Amino acid sequence: MKREDIELRRAARDGDARACLAMAGKLFAGEGGIQRNVNLGLAYVQQQLAGGHPETLALVARCVPLEAIVAQRLRAALTHAIGEGCPMARLKKGIWLAMSQASRGDGVALMRASGMEALGVSPDAVDDPRAFAAMLATLAAGIVDPARLALVCARDALDAGDLATACYCIRLAAEFPPVDELDELACRAVYFAAREGQALALPPALVEGALRRRSDKGEIEPQYVLGCALAGIPYGSLAAVQLVKEHSPARAAGLLLRAADAGKHDAWLDLFHTAQGARSGVAGSEVARFFLEKAARAGLADAQTRLGVLLLAEATSVQAAEEGVGWLAAAAQGGNAAAAGVLGTLVLPVPDLPVEYERGLLEKISALDRDLGVRMALARGLHLTRHEALSFNPACDFRAWGLVLSGSSKENPKGRLAPAVTTEMKLELQRVRAFYGQAAPVGGSLMLQRARAQKRVFEMLSISQAMFFASDIGRSWSHYGYGRHWASRTTGVVHTVLGGPARGAAALAVLTA
């Protein structure tokens, strides 16, 4: 380096404005034995740029490549230089404006006004990313690096929520040698479009290539998106055909398994759907059930609801049905309305009573017999039959979600499940559990004594049993409760939970075979 250049650098470092400007000019041009370094040159004149120094603004507009101007948010430099009649500034700002659909017309006008007739600028050519990329590629590297500019503009557009501009810039950048940043931005555009329900203006081949390369690097979300698309499953608001050229169930299964194993729990439920297809690489009822159980254990309410319905439909005992209701209760607790609807099919109807009248009756019963009063309140709260209200055993029949009623030789020998579905039912269940938690519960051996006491109290208070309890179930368990008989009586609910009549029937047939 020449002595005068060393002195110039020293003066610039000491804050001399003229020296900073001169040093920046040498760094922008890469002359005088100084290697070209645009970012370092901009660092020397940051103070002058912040103060709007005219000579500095003009230098930046003439000598700094457009992608650096865009990255550093230096539009003021181009605006100032245009006011001074600089053709290069017009060209650069025109290119910048043309990258956005909203300002493309103004951009074309500025490029034409720059005097660069050789570019052949026209609205149609600029609207086509491929044609515009070819046009920009003819410019000198000191004016613009079109691939770098497109990536910078795409990132800014995504940060601003402008998906249309981002997709245009990504398509333009795709006309040049691929880089990792392009794949990252394409994936971001996919996530944004799926989340916001906006149109994704990217070719499926470009999207699939980006997702595949990011998946090969072990990224979870691209694995999941590509797996869904290859399986024909929508990703958010995006259909599979928008993301891949053709389906491949075998490849989809592998990608979804990798995503699920890495913690993307939604993939387990998608694998459950995939496994039901005859062409799937992981087809089979046992495999499908495994995936559904994994999704349910991961806390997915939809999977818990589906698993609960399937377990309830295939149960042959109250103990087996209890597991299904447990999953349904967990899903309902998480806010799943479908799960609450299924639990509602297990609730017996009880005669309606005016609220004040019912409250007064229960208070009078409790005043005469505290234990009987609590049982009668639970009978009204959880819609129990008379036999169930008098025979449930507080020591072993309570569950977090309701009651498991064992039944008897006279009524429903197979037993029944009585879930607490509404908020009021849950509060009543908690109140009764708290009462028996503080008292010594007595088993079912006093059923006869309780029945006599209940009959006597009801006669004293002139209460009709038919208007107080749910109707007696009788000996046949098949007309109510669980198993295939329950599924046949609640076909609409089952099909709704499993995804519609056709899909629901297929799922039930596969998983209960």
Side-chain angles (χ1 to χ4, degrees), residues 170-293:
I170 290 170
R171 289 169 60 195
L172 195 153
E175 297 300 319
F176 300 93
V179 293
D180 289 345
E181 189 176 356
L182 177 61
D183 293 339
E184 176 208 342
L185 294 172
C187 290
R188 278 188 60 187
V190 169
Y191 307 152
F192 183 88
R195 182 177 65 250
E196 301 296 330
Q198 296 187 20
L200 181 69
L202 293 177
L206 189 158
V207 175
E208 182 175 356
L211 291 171
R212 176 175 48 78
R213 287 186 288 272
R214 303 298 284 191
S215 297
D216 291 342
K217 294 182 178 180
E219 295 187 16
I220 300 172
E221 194 65 22
Q223 290 174 353
Y224 176 65
V225 178
L226 187 56
C228 287
L230 291 172
I233 300 172
Y235 175 69
S237 64
L238 299 177
V241 294
Q242 297 177 267
L243 304 175
V244 295
K245 293 182 291 185
E246 59 183 10
H247 296 167
S248 177
R251 287 179 58 204
L255 287 163
L256 290 172
L257 278 169
R258 289 168 65 185
D261 186 60
K264 186 68 177 181
H265 301 313
D266 288 338
W268 291 120
L269 191 54
D270 293 313
L271 281 164
F272 161 68
H273 295 314
T274 303
Q276 297 177 52
R279 296 177 57 198
S280 170
V282 290
S285 60
E286 292 300 323
V287 175
R289 174 62 65 85
F290 169 76
F291 292 145
L292 188 60
E293 290 173 353

Side-chain angles (χ1 to χ4, degrees), residues 66 86 107 145 148 226 249 262 328 493:
L66 178 57
C86 176
D145 178 345
R148 187 69 224 153
L226 187 56
L328 289 166
V493 175

